[in-house]
Each structure stands twice: as C-alpha cells, then as structure tokens.
Amino acid sequence: MSRRGLLAAPLLASPALLVRPAAAQSPQPATPAPASAPPAGEPLIVRKQVFDAGEYRTRGGGTVPNARIGYQTAGTLNQAGDNAVLITHFFSANSHAFGRYAANGPAGYWDNIIGPGKAIDTNRFFVVSSDTLVNLNLNDATTTSTGPAALDPSTGRPFALNYPVVSMRDFIEVQKRLLDSLGVKRLALAAGPSMGALQAIEWACAYPEMVERVMPAVGTGEFDAFLIGWMELWESPIRMDPNWRNGDYYGQGREPPTRGLAEALKIVTLQARDRGAMAQFGRRPVEGQDPARKITDQFAVERFLDEAATARAKTADANAFIYLTRANQLFLHEYPDTAAALSRSQARWLVLPAPGDRVFPISYNVDLVEALRKAGRPVEMVELQGGLGHLEGVASMNKAEPAIRRFLGT
Amino acid sequence: MSRRGLLAAPLLASPALLVRPAAAQSPQPATPAPASAPPAGEPLIVRKQVFDAGEYRTRGGGTVPNARIGYQTAGTLNQAGDNAVLITHFFSANSHAFGRYAANGPAGYWDNIIGPGKAIDTNRFFVVSSDTLVNLNLNDATTTSTGPAALDPSTGRPFALNYPVVSMRDFIEVQKRLLDSLGVKRLALAAGPSMGALQAIEWACAYPEMVERVMPAVGTGEFDAFLIGWMELWESPIRMDPNWRNGDYYGQGREPPTRGLAEALKIVTLQARDRGAMAQFGRRPVEGQDPARKITDQFAVERFLDEAATARAKTADANAFIYLTRANQLFLHEYPDTAAALSRSQARWLVLPAPGDRVFPISYNVDLVEALRKAGRPVEMVELQGGLGHLEGVASMNKAEPAIRRFLGT
C-alpha cells in the first residue's frame, strides 16, 4: 500500500491500519521477476515465492510438521552474502513490503522507501521480506503461512488450538532458515513497522553477530503487562463469538467466527490510528440517522469501523489472530528482561516512533533508546511526526528518508 | 475510594478504573448527616439522598416519566446561594465523591481534596454531588438513577432500548433541577474527573451565568470521531453477548449479558490505566500456567483483568453502559463546534490532564486550553504527573492541591 493510497484514498477503500487492505491482489505473475533493476520510473516487479522450512521444533517444545512461509526479494546478494536487508511485517500484513506483483497491482506497504534508488536501495541491497508463521491472511492468495488452520498429520484434521504456541523468536528462527537457504551471511539491516519492529529487535538479540543495523518503526523494546493486557482485549471479541467454539470451527458446515474477528479488527484499526486519521468523519451521523434520538443509530465513524473490519475479516483467520497476539506477548520472552536482551546486540540502531501512537506509546521508544544507550549501542531516534499515530509507521516512512539514508550510508 | 486505597491496596480488591470498586458499601446510615463539620481528624459522614425530578423531556425529544437521581451534600449553602460546588462523577461512579456513609465505610473517590479544611473546603462551600441519569450501577444500594431498566408505564415492562437517548446535556438539565430545589443560585465551582469533566464543561456552556469556575480533570473539550469510535469499541462486547438480545434481557428467567459487560469493563479498566499502573504484574504467567507452551494459558495481568471486570459486572447494567457511551458521544452535541460552545463560558478554568492518559489523551487538553485562551477565558493547566494515566484523575488529585487552593482563593 503506497503512502498515496493510505493517505489520499477514501479510508473505506483502504480499511485497515496496520491492517492491510482486503483488496484483491493478483496472485503470482506469470512472468518471473526481473533479475536487474527496472528502468527509473518503472514500478519494481517482485515475485511471491514459497520457502519450505521442513519440520520445525518451536522454542516452546511443540512441533510444526511442515513449516512453509512465503517471501519475496529484490536486488542481488553479493559474493560475501553481507548486503542483505530483512524487512519484517506488521500484525496484519504479509511479505508484501515493496514492489508490485503486477505492473498495475498495488505497491507494498513500505514501497516508498524500498526500491531502486530509494532510501533502502535495491541497487545496493538484497532485500528479503517473508510472511511470518501463523499469518493472519489465511484466505489471501498472496500469503503462504503455516498456522492453526494447517492439517495435523496425526489426525488428518486442522490443528486449531492444538497448534503449538509460537513466539516472536519462532518467527525469527524460521526466517533464519530462509536466509540460510538464500546464502545470506549477514544483515546490513533488519527493519519493520509495529510487529515488524519487534521481529527486527528479536533478530538483533538472537543473532547479534549477524545484524549490523536495526530500524524498528512504531515498535517497543518491552512487552510489559500493559501491552500483554491489550493483546487480551484485542482477541476477546473472537472468544465471545459462539461460532468460535474454542477454535474448532474449520471444516464444512461450520461458520467461522467472522463477526468476532471483525470486532477484534475494529479495535486494531482504531488503536492503530490517532485522532488525526479519523478527523475526516467529524461528528457526522450516518446519513439518515440521528444518534441523539435513537439508541441504535450510529455516527459515521462507527459505520466506517464496522464496514472496514467486516470486509477485512473475510480474508483473515480468527485462530491465527489469537496465535499472533500470543506471539507478540512472547516478545523477548527468553531473556530475563529487556536490558539483558538488548545488551547482546552489536548493531547500530535507528528508532522511529510516532507521537500519538496508541498501540506502542512513544514512552516505550524513549525507554528503548535509553536502554540501548546504557548498553553502549549507537542509537538515533527520529520521530515520525503527523496526526495518524501508529499508522505513521506505514504511511509516513518517507518522512524518515534522510535519516534512513544517513543510517545506511555509515 | 481514597488515594491510599487505590494505590496501596491490591488491585484485585479495587478492580476498576475509573471503575468504582464493587465492594459493598453501607446503605444509608441510620443517623442523619451532621449539619456542622466534624472535628478535625474525624471522617466526614455524608448521607445519600434521593431527588425526584418528575417527568423529564430529553433534549432529543423523548420523555422520562419519573426521573430520579441520588445525591449527597456537605457544608452549608449561604444566604445568597452562591457558595455551591457541584462535583460530577466519572463513567462508572456515582455521587459518592466525598465523605463516608458510615464511620468505617469507604471514602468517596475525591475525598482527598473535598472535606473540612481540604482543597475544596466544606467549611466554606456547600458541595453537592449527584448520580447521573442512566447510571451504570443498577444493582448498587447506594445509587439511585433512572435508566433503561426503569419501568415503562405504558407497557408495565422495563424500557430496555425504548428508553429515550440521553445526552451529557440531559445529565446537566436534571442536575439543574436538583440545584434549583436546593436553592443554589450560582456554582463557585463545577468539577469532576473524566466523564465528570465533560459534565463540568457542559455546565459552563449551558449555564454560563451560573458557573464561576470549572475544573475538568482527565477530560476533553471535544468528542471527535476518534473518541466516538472508542465508545463503539467499549460497548461492542455487550452486543456480542447472545444474552443481550438487543437489550431485552430484564425479567425473571433471563440471564443478563454479564460476560459481555465484563469484557466491556475490561477495556475500560485497562484503557483508564497507563503502563505504570499495571507494572506490578510484570510478565508473570498465572501460577502453574505457561503461555509459551499452551495457547489457553494466561499471563497474570490477563487473569487480573478477567477477575476484576467479572466482579464489577455483577452490580452494573449492560444497557446502562450503552446509554452512557451514547451520552458521552453526545458531549457538547448542541453546539456547532467546541469553540462555539466554549465561547459561551464566563468562567475561570483550571484544566488538570494526565500525561499517559489513554482515554482522553493529553493533546485534547492542550487543545481545550488553547480554545479557552482564544475565547479570552482565564485558564491554567496543571499536569497530574505519574505513571497511572487516566487513573491519576482519581488517584492523584492531591498532587493538584496547591493549584486548586490557589484557584479557589481567587
């Protein structure tokens, strides 16, 4: 999703947050991705590919029989294998961070800073972006991910809640296998917005010798009780939906908990925005309604939230939502505390918070910078200014372009 | 609830937010309230009373056949009727802002600043606090309020969603009748936290000639699309509960939507706190559980939210919750915009926001102060510092004591 699309298009057409639009995307293009950079001004075409990670033993001791994730790349890996960049995606996104799957298709969510000649220059870097495990977009043709809807070979039925818990660290471990398979030896940069920031940080702590730079946008260095509690609130409407049946809703003749999932996505949608992003709705009622006279009548913003989330819920999976919130709750879970985790990092850091971020308030980023300084790590913080809150981490990355170029130039 | 109680007591014992604790309070004491101030050091004893407002026509054109609200007072009204103070309550509270109903009972939520010799000195002021219409605490012996559970005389059954919509202005209109009945001619101060702040502001705009000073704590001067949207999210779990039946759940043999109401109160509880208020739970799992291995296992903070909200839901009414969120959405609804509303005010203002407030972010208060300055109104802003967020507006009012004394001295 381009900045243009996010900011200029009617919000109803680009419903979500850090919720990817439900708009259909072309599946894999018939023509292979070009090996060399496209001519200036031409869109970067990328190809969605699939990586088979094989059997994967989770950090919590569970077994994923056949872990598969989708990914995409741009640019060329050098001989030393050390010009790679890993882009990690936000809660409701997939690997589509840059480029287009077809010339007239939508651009990736960070396409304004990734591409030939852009801040993260694909003429210089080999840029990789992958789907995570338990990706939300179960019914999206451009997403490949193994999660609770996968078949359990021991029963022949979907795992549902028997799927093993996966943590943020598990995301990283599967990405590590992908990078190994591609010949990547070292990451010049690990970066992403929101949950993508958490993955980038987890990378810097798990494989400090491999990560040269980290750029977490609208993220946090700590998942404390307050944030753990918010994840619980996010998933609560799913558990309220009678169709959820403790996760056992897959299969013919069963209705998935689409309403609960939509209500969950409503929370995410609004919390990922600040007041400026909603100002267009003002205090207008839905046309023909009067909330001052009828309790069931609505304001326009309520209708927007309903419609956007309901559309988005169609391509998403409720159990995946629950596994994703848990993966977030398990951020840096294997370390005694954030300071201990960050002290392992050998990277340079560029931290990009947004004032008015209601998902990961800016105070968490101030703490992250302080913890990095205490650990003796070089760190710069640049605020993504604007009225959109958390959404700035996708919509406004171009505001950080000079800082990113400086960061990558050093 | 005393500051001591809120901060020092285990959170499980004082579950809520700006959610009043579910702890039983003594009903009206047998002994009448003393007319004069208690000796220094003795608790202020107050008596809960009931005001019959009679038939009330709402601003939206509906009819409340028999509007009744509870209230309490302290101090003595002077001959001119101009030493009155009105304290307006937050979302889940009632009139119990100061004093105790029995010597060993709990204190009101602002008791640390209201009483003999305190910042709002009951030796000088006649302090009134009333329950609002559609008060949340239907099953609480110390609350009297008319709302959707009231009997519709035309059917003999509870109104449920046929109860007329009430706005913040309607709260004020019924309070106006109460104050008239008590002989109050002028308010030296209108003040309250959160939804109480909204009522105080609504007062200053509706009856500018009556209000000398306004002190909104952790409030907002504008209920924009972002805040309207949050109200929708708050009530969503109630509508998800199959027991809600579009509000038609009163009467024998029907289960009220207690689970949905509890989930709603969980959102309120967490959003009314900032990270500092939850820090005590850390990243601890529930004892004997391991969220890293079992998807249904929980962190301690999740269990806290469940238990606190479930306990709180027992005394509350789900439909009242929905009518309350609507009343908030209808804040200053009768004016073209906030500037137009505030320009009517003739009062002096003391605005008390809290950094880290996640319900009414501090930026709304900055805007309020700016709008008041533009309108030529004297205004001072004092931040309630601390890590609790919105909750500072109840827990930490003593921090503003010097500013309040200065404000009331002028």
Side-chain angles (χ1 to χ4, degrees):
Chain A
M1 156 191 340
S2 69
R3 169 170 176 262
R4 209 180 134 83
L6 257 170
L7 293 178
L11 273 172
L12 279 170
S14 66
L17 97 102
L18 296 209
V19 170
R20 231 162 43 84
Q25 294 178 334
S26 322
Q28 304 189 9
T31 48
S36 60
E42 299 239 333
L44 173 70
I45 303 294
V46 292
R47 186 163 60 91
K48 187 85 189 215
Q49 301 179 74
V50 171
F51 173 66
D52 241 306
E55 181 176 289
Y56 174 70
R57 183 98 176 146
T58 67
R59 306 291 289 193
T63 300
V64 176
N66 183 16
R68 300 173 86 223
I69 51 170
Y71 72 100
Q72 60 177 64
T73 71
T76 308
L77 188 66
N78 64 15
Q79 202 72 25
D82 65 0
N83 71 329
V85 167
L86 179 67
I87 306 295
T88 41
H89 69 68
F90 53 88
F91 190 83
S92 61
N94 65 10
S95 74
H96 195 194
F98 51 88
R100 296 160 199 270
Y101 296 140
N104 58 354
Y109 62 84
W110 265 12
D111 195 65
N112 55 0
I113 56 161
I114 303 172
K118 295 183 183 175
I120 298 173
D121 189 348
T122 51
N123 292 329
R124 178 181 166 201
F125 295 112
F126 175 63
V127 187
V128 183
S129 177
S130 80
D131 302 332
T132 63
L133 291 174
V134 302
N135 187 288
L136 189 64
N137 307 287
L138 180 65
N139 305 310
D140 175 276
T142 65
T143 306
T144 298
S145 179
T146 306
L151 289 185
D152 179 349
S154 73
T155 65
R157 300 182 50 220
F159 277 104
L161 296 200
N162 292 320
Y163 193 76
V165 170
V166 296
S167 67
M168 201 63 65
R169 176 65 182 262
D170 287 312
F171 290 180
I172 271 60
E173 292 300 316
V174 175
Q175 286 162 355
K176 173 72 164 58
R177 292 193 188 180
L178 167 64
L179 294 183
D180 287 347
S181 80
L182 295 169
V184 171
K185 303 292 179 212
R186 193 166 161 81
L187 291 172
L189 173 70
S194 192
M195 186 180 86
L198 274 53
Q199 292 173 71
I201 296 170
E202 191 89 46
W203 257 103
C205 303
Y207 294 100
E209 70 291 351
M210 246 187 97
V211 182
E212 199 177 335
R213 296 181 194 82
V214 191
M215 188 178 81
V218 295
T220 175
E222 182 188 5
F223 223 92
D224 62 1
F226 183 68
L227 297 178
I228 290 172
W230 271 108
M231 293 298 98
E232 154 73 12
L233 300 183
W234 280 15
E235 66 183 59
S236 152
I238 293 171
R239 284 185 271 96
M240 287 290 297
D241 190 325
N243 287 341
W244 180 57
R245 305 160 173 265
N246 292 314
D248 188 19
Y249 58 80
Y250 300 112
Q252 277 202 320
R254 300 213 173 162
E255 283 295 320
T258 311
R259 187 168 165 226
L261 178 55
E263 294 296 319
L265 288 165
K266 270 163 74 170
I267 306 178
V268 184
T269 302
L270 188 61
Q271 198 169 1
R273 293 181 154 89
D274 194 14
R275 47 196 295 220
M278 310 310 280
Q280 61 182 298
F281 298 105
R283 293 184 44 82
R284 280 196 315 283
V286 171
E287 209 185 314
Q289 298 197 356
D290 186 354
R293 288 175 185 269
K294 200 169 169 201
I295 193 72
T296 50
D297 279 2
Q298 286 189 312
F299 288 93
V301 64
E302 299 178 273
R303 176 66 65 86
F304 156 72
L305 289 168
D306 275 344
E307 292 183 347
T310 301
R312 187 64 189 76
K314 285 178 188 153
T315 54
D317 179 48
N319 283 342
F321 189 105
I322 288 173
Y323 275 83
L324 272 175
T325 57
R326 177 56 52 86
N328 278 276
Q329 290 175 325
L330 294 172
F331 173 54
L332 297 182
H333 188 68
E334 300 183 17
Y335 307 94
D337 54 40
T338 296
L342 293 177
S343 70
R344 292 174 46 84
S345 157
Q346 300 172 19
R348 278 168 288 165
W349 293 68
L350 176 60
V351 177
L352 302 173
D357 187 338
R358 309 290 166 208
V359 175
F360 297 130
I362 197 163
S363 70
Y364 285 90
N365 288 276
V366 172
D367 286 0
L368 169 61
V369 168
E370 196 184 346
L372 286 166
R373 291 214 168 109
K374 272 192 189 153
R377 289 293 91 217
V379 54
E380 188 188 357
M381 182 164 93
V382 174
E383 292 186 12
L384 301 168
Q385 296 285 348
L388 304 182
H390 195 63
L391 198 59
E392 298 283 344
V394 172
S396 307
M397 287 301 290
N398 58 315
K399 293 174 187 168
E401 202 180 319
I404 299 171
R405 286 186 187 276
R406 214 163 49 233
F407 183 55
L408 291 176
T410 57
Chain B
M1 155 191 340
S2 69
R3 172 172 173 261
R4 209 180 135 83
L6 258 170
L7 292 177
L11 274 171
L12 279 170
S14 67
L17 105 100
L18 296 208
V19 169
R20 232 162 43 84
Q25 294 177 334
S26 322
Q28 304 188 9
T31 48
S36 60
E42 300 237 334
L44 173 70
I45 303 295
V46 291
R47 185 162 62 91
K48 187 85 188 214
Q49 301 178 73
V50 172
F51 172 66
D52 240 305
E55 181 177 288
Y56 173 69
R57 183 97 176 148
T58 68
R59 305 291 288 193
T63 300
V64 177
N66 183 15
R68 298 173 86 224
I69 51 171
Y71 72 100
Q72 60 177 65
T73 71
T76 308
L77 188 66
N78 64 15
Q79 201 73 25
D82 64 0
N83 70 329
V85 167
L86 179 68
I87 305 296
T88 42
H89 70 69
F90 54 88
F91 191 83
S92 61
N94 65 10
S95 73
H96 194 195
F98 50 87
R100 297 161 197 268
Y101 296 139
N104 58 353
Y109 62 84
W110 265 13
D111 196 65
N112 55 359
I113 55 160
I114 302 173
K118 295 185 183 173
I120 298 174
D121 188 348
T122 50
N123 291 330
R124 177 181 165 200
F125 295 112
F126 175 62
V127 187
V128 183
S129 177
S130 80
D131 302 332
T132 63
L133 292 173
V134 302
N135 187 288
L136 189 64
N137 306 286
L138 181 65
N139 306 310
D140 175 277
T142 65
T143 305
T144 298
S145 179
T146 306
L151 290 185
D152 179 349
S154 72
T155 65
R157 300 183 50 221
F159 276 103
L161 296 201
N162 292 319
Y163 193 77
V165 171
V166 296
S167 66
M168 201 62 65
R169 178 64 182 263
D170 287 312
F171 290 0
I172 271 63
E173 291 300 316
V174 175
Q175 285 162 356
K176 174 73 164 56
R177 290 192 188 179
L178 167 64
L179 294 184
D180 287 346
S181 80
L182 295 170
V184 170
K185 303 291 180 212
R186 193 167 163 79
L187 291 171
L189 174 69
S194 193
M195 187 180 86
L198 274 53
Q199 293 173 70
I201 296 170
E202 191 90 45
W203 257 102
C205 302
Y207 294 100
E209 71 290 351
M210 248 186 96
V211 182
E212 199 178 334
R213 296 181 195 82
V214 192
M215 189 179 81
V218 296
T220 174
E222 183 188 4
F223 223 90
D224 63 1
F226 182 69
L227 297 178
I228 290 171
W230 271 108
M231 293 298 97
E232 155 73 11
L233 300 183
W234 280 16
E235 66 183 60
S236 154
I238 293 171
R239 284 185 272 97
M240 289 289 299
D241 191 324
N243 287 341
W244 181 56
R245 306 160 174 266
N246 292 314
D248 189 19
Y249 57 81
Y250 301 112
Q252 277 202 320
R254 300 212 174 162
E255 281 295 321
T258 311
R259 187 170 164 225
L261 178 56
E263 292 296 319
L265 288 165
K266 270 163 75 170
I267 306 177
V268 185
T269 302
L270 188 61
Q271 198 170 1
R273 294 181 153 89
D274 194 14
R275 47 195 296 218
M278 311 309 280
Q280 62 183 295
F281 298 105
R283 293 184 44 80
R284 281 195 315 282
V286 171
E287 209 184 314
Q289 299 198 354
D290 186 354
R293 289 175 185 269
K294 200 170 170 200
I295 192 71
T296 49
D297 278 3
Q298 288 188 310
F299 288 91
V301 64
E302 299 178 274
R303 175 67 64 87
F304 156 71
L305 289 168
D306 275 344
E307 292 182 348
T310 302
R312 188 63 189 76
K314 285 179 187 153
T315 54
D317 179 48
N319 282 342
F321 189 105
I322 288 173
Y323 275 83
L324 272 176
T325 57
R326 177 56 54 87
N328 279 275
Q329 290 175 325
L330 294 172
F331 173 54
L332 298 182
H333 188 67
E334 301 183 16
Y335 306 95
D337 54 40
T338 296
L342 293 177
S343 70
R344 293 173 47 84
S345 156
Q346 300 172 20
R348 277 168 289 165
W349 293 68
L350 175 59
V351 177
L352 302 173
D357 187 338
R358 310 290 166 208
V359 176
F360 297 132
I362 197 164
S363 70
Y364 285 90
N365 288 275
V366 172
D367 286 359
L368 170 60
V369 167
E370 196 184 344
L372 286 166
R373 291 213 168 109
K374 272 192 190 155
R377 290 293 91 217
V379 54
E380 188 188 357
M381 181 163 93
V382 174
E383 292 186 13
L384 301 168
Q385 296 286 347
L388 304 182
H390 195 62
L391 199 58
E392 297 284 345
V394 172
S396 308
M397 287 302 291
N398 58 315
K399 294 175 186 168
E401 201 179 320
I404 299 171
R405 286 186 187 276
R406 214 161 51 232
F407 184 54
L408 291 175
T410 56

